[in-house]
Amino acid sequence: MMPVVFRVTSGPHVGQEYQIDHPETFLVGRSTRVQFSMARDLLLSREHFQIEHQPPLCHLVDLGSTNGTKVNGLRVERALLRDGDVISAGDSEFIVHFAEDSEERKAYTTCPGCGRRIPITDPVPIVESDERTPFPLCMQCEIRRKKFPRTNPDYLIEEWIGGGGMGEVYRGRQLSRGRPIAIKMISPVSPLGDKAAGCFRREIEVLRDLLMPSGEGHPSIVTFYDIHEIDGQFHLVMEYVDGKNALDWVRNLEQPLPISSAAQIGRHLLSALEFAHSKGYVHRDVKPSNLLIMGPMHRPRVKLTDFGLAKSFAETEGFTTTFTREGDVGGSIGFISPDQISQYSEVREPADIYSAAVTLFYLLTGRYPYLGFDPGQADSYQIILQNPPVPLRAFRPDAPEGFERILLKAMQKRPRERFKSALAMAEAFRPFVASSS
């Protein structure tokens, strides 16, 4: 069995090594009780990440660390490790070395899809397919490629992760860069027709426009990577987020969501919205299922996704098309603002601020902020337009009065009576995050 060596190349423990030569799971962190202890690196969490070695595969799993774990500069929740990968955690860096001897190195190459070794002396297995890739894949990966829709040869689809009338989403890997990706493609036969296609094109444009000048995405918005047209379909390639949507994440908690955690989620979400607003976009569909949450309960990290209903209030070019007509209402009933009901095509930033508040209320209580509200009932719009919201502490008596006031202000009927900006609302949450540390 080929051993794997983890060598510290920078930081307080430079030169320290850990070698695995059998199936094993071990922890890395500041605690003296973990298998690979680095007590002098004060920026590491006590249990920062773990390595799962099940030959021939070796995975890294972040354990909800405060400062995160990066592989080759990309922050990850879980990553397949390969020879030469650089792991950054705390104030330290590690290099991964698969200690094959020179003869093994000549005889084998590595499958970029799964990390298995492929004998170079044998012909690389090829499964008959319309796809051709410049990267030699093992038989298992070639078979997997054929199971899924055709896409760009640089991407290997690994599994279906969701979808519906608006499109299908797959998890995969970009072979040339070794990074996990998500591919969203419009359903070939969408029951929503042109409207679904329009939303998909809008999402492509918005995510591309939300990239920073450096080419990186905002840390709380799912990052756009690329777009391809295959057989007349657009394939949107995005950052893969190894998390759960906020609804599923909260339901899996063993206790009600802490107020401090909700404040942290709110700050991440509002930071994303502030950035989108600064670029001229209103999301118009902020709700729990469009938030992806990673990490443990007390240190959640958030990614805002699904910009299919986003509206530009600035002059833009490209895919932007207005699909709204007078009388249209878009978004998810229960999370939309009164102004989104009355003037959907004209809403501005305050609509997202309102929806962010309702989203946090729902995550904290499992309820909508109106007595007797049912999104399926005919009077749902009238309740949002006319009824006052229920104070948070009616359902969460442990909530500070100041936190309740933030949500009530953000849910005011008149847009001008809400927070002036998403940034202002995010700053209002700051004391409630700090109090938990």
Side-chain angles (χ1 to χ4, degrees):
M1 181 182 298
M2 180 173 58
V4 183
V5 178
F6 294 83
R7 180 178 301 113
V8 183
T9 56
S10 69
H13 293 263
V14 63
Q16 188 171 329
E17 289 187 0
Y18 191 94
Q19 180 169 316
I20 314 174
D21 56 9
H22 59 278
E24 179 183 356
T25 296
F26 72 92
L27 302 180
V28 180
R30 184 165 45 85
S31 171
T32 57
R33 298 182 180 181
V34 302
Q35 290 88 344
F36 195 176
S37 176
M38 303 178 64
R40 297 195 303 277
D41 188 342
L42 301 182
L43 295 182
L44 285 176
S45 296
R46 295 184 61 80
E47 295 181 356
H48 201 101
F49 64 86
Q50 73 181 21
I51 299 295
E52 299 173 352
H53 183 48
Q54 295 294 328
L57 306 182
C58 189
H59 286 90
L60 177 147
V61 180
D62 182 79
L63 298 175
S65 60
T66 302
N67 298 318
T69 306
K70 294 182 178 180
V71 175
N72 301 327
L74 178 67
R75 185 164 180 165
V76 299
E77 298 290 316
R78 182 182 183 90
L80 175 68
L81 297 178
R82 295 174 171 80
D83 185 49
D85 281 349
V86 175
I87 303 170
S88 304
D91 197 30
S92 301
E93 284 194 351
F94 311 70
I95 190 166
V96 182
H97 178 50
F98 288 75
E100 58 188 0
D101 59 30
S102 58
E103 292 302 316
E104 287 179 310
R105 192 174 295 112
K106 293 177 182 178
Y108 293 91
T109 187
T110 301
C111 172
C114 66
R116 290 184 175 89
R117 292 193 300 165
I118 307 173
I120 293 177
T121 53
D122 296 337
V124 175
I126 296 293
V127 176
E128 288 188 13
S129 168
D130 292 336
E131 288 299 316
R132 290 294 179 266
T133 173
F135 308 99
L137 297 175
C138 68
M139 180 66 76
Q140 290 91 332
C141 288
E142 284 285 3
I143 292 173
R144 183 185 302 125
R145 179 190 289 278
K146 195 174 182 182
K147 290 180 179 179
F148 296 103
R150 193 168 75 91
T151 189
N152 185 283
D154 191 22
Y155 303 117
L156 177 67
I157 296 177
E158 297 174 334
E159 67 172 337
W160 178 88
I161 56 177
M166 292 291 290
E168 305 294 328
V169 184
Y170 300 88
R171 178 179 63 82
R173 175 170 294 276
Q174 184 175 8
L175 302 177
S176 61
R177 301 188 62 171
R179 65 182 177 185
I181 50 97
I183 301 179
K184 185 174 184 179
M185 54 187 77
I186 193 71
S187 297
V189 183
S190 173
L192 300 180
D194 291 342
K195 188 169 184 178
C199 289
F200 186 69
R201 287 175 172 234
R202 179 183 289 133
E203 181 175 20
I204 291 171
E205 180 198 355
V206 174
L207 286 178
R208 181 165 53 188
D209 201 32
L210 289 179
L211 290 177
M212 297 180 182
S214 63
E216 297 179 353
H218 185 279
S220 293
I221 297 176
V222 172
T223 302
F224 170 90
Y225 285 159
D226 207 349
I227 177 176
H228 295 282
E229 186 176 359
I230 308 291
D231 297 333
Q233 288 183 301
F234 284 109
H235 290 198
L236 171 59
V237 185
M238 304 174 287
E239 168 190 15
Y240 173 71
V241 180
D242 191 9
K244 294 182 173 67
N245 77 58
L247 279 179
D248 292 338
W249 185 81
V250 166
R251 288 167 180 164
N252 287 333
L253 298 179
E254 297 180 354
Q255 65 185 73
L257 179 66
I259 299 299
S260 59
S261 299
Q264 184 64 54
I265 291 170
R267 283 178 59 80
H268 284 303
L269 168 58
L270 290 159
S271 174
L273 291 173
E274 177 69 21
F275 182 73
H277 295 166
S278 73
K279 301 283 282 187
Y281 292 103
V282 183
H283 189 282
R284 298 200 299 185
D285 199 18
V286 176
K287 58 183 178 179
S289 59
N290 282 341
L291 297 185
L292 298 175
I293 301 186
M294 305 156 285
M297 178 177 64
H298 292 291
R299 292 194 299 273
R301 301 194 305 280
V302 173
K303 293 278 188 178
L304 177 61
T305 186
D306 201 342
F307 282 77
L309 294 181
K311 172 186 177 294
S312 170
F313 53 81
E315 292 295 324
T316 58
E317 299 177 354
F319 284 127
T320 298
T321 307
T322 299
F323 288 89
T324 55
R325 297 179 298 272
E326 185 175 356
D328 278 355
V329 175
S332 298
I333 302 175
F335 298 98
I336 58 176
S337 65
D339 36 311
Q340 198 159 335
I341 295 173
S342 60
Q343 47 184 4
Y344 174 54
S345 63
E346 302 299 327
V347 294
R348 297 289 295 260
E349 300 97 314
D352 284 345
I353 290 172
Y354 176 99
S355 298
V358 179
T359 294
L360 294 174
F361 188 101
Y362 195 92
L363 294 178
L364 284 164
T365 67
R367 301 168 182 259
Y368 297 101
Y370 296 104
L371 288 177
F373 183 85
D374 181 343
Q377 295 297 324
D379 64 349
S380 58
Y381 285 169
Q382 288 305 311
I383 289 177
I384 295 172
L385 288 169
Q386 298 176 1
N387 291 15
V390 178
L392 174 66
R393 292 190 296 166
F395 302 118
R396 289 293 300 265
D398 59 315
E401 183 179 355
F403 191 96
E404 179 183 81
R405 284 199 302 268
I406 294 173
L407 297 189
L408 288 174
K409 179 177 177 64
M411 289 189 288
Q412 290 294 304
K413 302 297 183 188
R414 297 178 179 178
R416 67 174 178 270
E417 295 178 358
R418 299 171 201 154
F419 286 92
K420 299 300 181 184
S421 67
L423 178 61
M425 185 175 174
E427 286 301 305
F429 280 130
R430 182 186 292 275
F432 304 101
V433 174
S435 64
S436 67
S437 59

